[in-house]
Amino acid sequence: MIVTGGAGFIGSHFVKRLLAAQDIAEVTVLDALTYAGHKENLEHELVSPRLNFVRGNILDAALVDDLVQRHDAIVHFAAESHVDRSFFEAATFLASNVVGTHTLLDAAKRHGIQKFVHVSTDEVYGPLATGHASERSPLNPTVPYAASKACSDMVALSAFHTDGVPVCVTRSSNNFGPNQHPEKIIPLFVSKLLAGQGVTLHGQGQHVRNWLHVEDNCQGIELVLRRGIPGEIYNIGGGTDLTNKELTGRLLELCGAGWDAVTYVPDRKSNDIRYAMDWSKIADDLGYRPAWPFDDGLAQSVAWYKENSFQWAPAERDEDAPMAEITVRPTAEG
Ligand code: NAD
């Protein structure tokens, strides 16, 4: 089994999950270790004789071909995933997220891969003032990141229709939990608040996101890997809906800070007011049941960030980042 992006946030949790499953003989992580990928996320797993770690780019067709011919399934997490960066580096997002996905699919077609799970996001549906997006809803991405993911979803599904590559697409809401890179709102706010610094909220903080514990998303992805029907899309939700202001209130409390630490700043461009998905299909068809109560997950996450500051301390982490000159701002994306 190949896991692309296995040194990133969600991918690293998924690798742990696979290694805990005794029927998975071998896991190969393919990860370029960009600014968002950290081998430390797999520090306990790297000693396993069942894990191979390959540092490489999914755009490297020769490397991808060589790896894919020796494996039977691919779970594809690798992507440029941070919305704010996508405003400045759209070409990089299109390269990794779209062309990189195509490179993997092309090799999967050549070598008869038995299952290809393409991991995507609720952002492809765009903003919904009311109601919930089902897997049949139209796509309406409003930022370069979401546009690149929507495009990659289409590329993946077209490989199923044209060449029979057994692709499933998962679309989840905002994930949170340990190992998340500090460009996302929860680790960003926690790291700042724990350091006694202030945080900024866009607009009036009224944007609504569904917060899903990363292990619940991984449960859904594993179900799709094992039992998902090729050609199908599965929404993975079931987290807790909160405005960014509500989320901030919980984080202030957990970090022992008050509202005087919060400054309101003008809204960013294309900040979708609300994402919401209907996830009854994966619940009904595959038995998905999210298990993490939000407050338990948030307390676990804050405790992890307190204990593992070396993982996220921006000065250490972003030293070699290609986008180090870009100010890190809170983002509504997970
Ligand atoms: P992340 O940014 O934490 O990790 C991405 C990983 O991919 C990193 O380890 C990075 O080194 C690797 N990578 C990036 N470009 C690569 C390339 N060209 N070749 C090889 N490796 C490369 O991202 P994440 O939050 O773990 O997200 C994983 C996937 O889940 C992404 O596809 C993302 O779109 C999707 N997703 C994320 C969320 C969320 O809330 N984080 C929600 C829905 C969907």
Side-chain angles (χ1 to χ4, degrees):
M1 168 110 34
I2 295 176
V3 177
T4 72
F9 166 46
I10 308 174
S12 60
H13 286 272
F14 194 72
V15 167
K16 286 185 189 42
R17 191 175 180 97
L18 286 181
L19 292 176
Q22 292 308 318
D23 60 334
I24 306 287
E26 191 188 17
V27 177
T28 295
V29 169
L30 172 60
D31 196 302
L33 295 180
T34 69
Y35 72 93
H38 310 301
K39 260 183 141 178
E40 299 94 315
N41 286 343
L42 294 171
E43 65 172 324
H44 301 299
E45 288 66 34
L46 286 168
V47 296
S48 168
R50 290 160 63 216
L51 182 71
N52 312 308
F53 187 91
V54 178
R55 182 174 189 178
N57 200 304
I58 55 171
L59 288 160
D60 182 340
L63 171 66
V64 166
D65 190 78
D66 179 53
L67 287 177
V68 170
Q69 68 177 319
R70 293 185 274 121
H71 293 84
D72 58 359
I74 301 173
V75 186
H76 176 36
F77 293 91
E80 290 291 339
S81 74
H82 294 90
V83 173
D84 284 359
R85 282 179 187 252
S86 76
F87 297 128
F88 302 91
E89 283 220 336
T92 310
F93 279 65
L94 290 168
S96 284
N97 299 4
V98 183
V99 182
T101 299
H102 164 73
T103 306
L104 289 162
L105 290 161
D106 210 32
K109 175 180 75 175
R110 270 195 303 281
H111 298 297
I113 278 289
Q114 290 164 25
K115 197 66 167 284
F116 188 116
V117 180
H118 174 68
V119 177
S120 190
T121 166
D122 62 353
E123 293 212 22
V124 299
Y125 297 120
L128 277 90
T130 57
H132 294 80
S134 82
E135 291 82 353
R136 291 182 304 284
S137 295
L139 303 189
N140 181 28
T142 64
V143 292
Y145 161 69
S148 71
K149 292 300 289 188
C151 187
S152 66
D153 291 10
M154 297 296 99
V155 167
L157 289 167
S158 73
F160 167 74
H161 292 296
T162 348
D163 294 311
V165 181
V167 168
C168 290
V169 174
T170 68
R171 292 179 180 148
S172 84
S173 51
N174 275 26
N175 285 217
F176 71 100
N179 294 1
Q180 192 167 29
H181 189 271
E183 279 190 29
K184 301 290 177 95
I185 187 170
I186 291 179
L188 177 71
F189 277 24
V190 170
S191 59
K192 283 182 174 292
L193 292 170
L194 291 179
Q197 297 170 9
V199 298
T200 53
L201 264 180
H202 281 128
Q204 296 304 306
Q206 293 308 313
H207 307 87
V208 176
R209 300 294 182 259
N210 181 266
W211 288 101
L212 181 68
H213 194 279
V214 61
E215 288 175 17
D216 285 334
N217 187 21
C218 289
Q219 177 207 147
I221 294 168
E222 184 182 358
L223 286 167
V224 172
L225 170 66
R226 291 180 182 276
R227 303 212 303 273
I229 296 172
E232 294 292 318
I233 300 164
Y234 296 90
N235 289 346
I236 304 178
T240 297
D241 291 330
L242 291 175
T243 65
N244 285 343
K245 190 172 178 182
E246 289 168 334
L247 174 66
T248 302
R250 312 269 182 117
L251 294 174
L252 290 173
E253 205 171 309
L254 285 167
C255 295
W259 281 101
D260 56 341
V262 180
T263 307
Y264 290 89
V265 296
D267 207 355
R268 77 163 193 219
K269 48 190 172 185
S270 301
N271 199 356
D272 293 341
I273 188 64
R274 172 178 173 267
Y275 298 126
M277 282 187 304
D278 173 359
W279 48 279
S280 56
K281 176 175 168 178
I282 191 170
D284 295 347
D285 295 359
L286 303 183
Y288 165 72
R289 299 285 180 273
W292 272 87
F294 177 76
D295 287 322
D296 293 357
L298 200 63
Q300 175 229 24
S301 305
V302 172
W304 187 87
Y305 283 103
K306 278 183 185 165
E307 285 160 20
N308 295 276
S309 61
F310 68 94
Q311 294 273 76
W312 48 258
E316 291 169 39
R317 291 262 49 106
D318 283 351
E319 206 173 0
D320 300 314
M323 297 285 291
E325 73 278 11
I326 290 177
T327 311
V328 174
R329 294 186 300 273
T331 169
E333 214 281 313

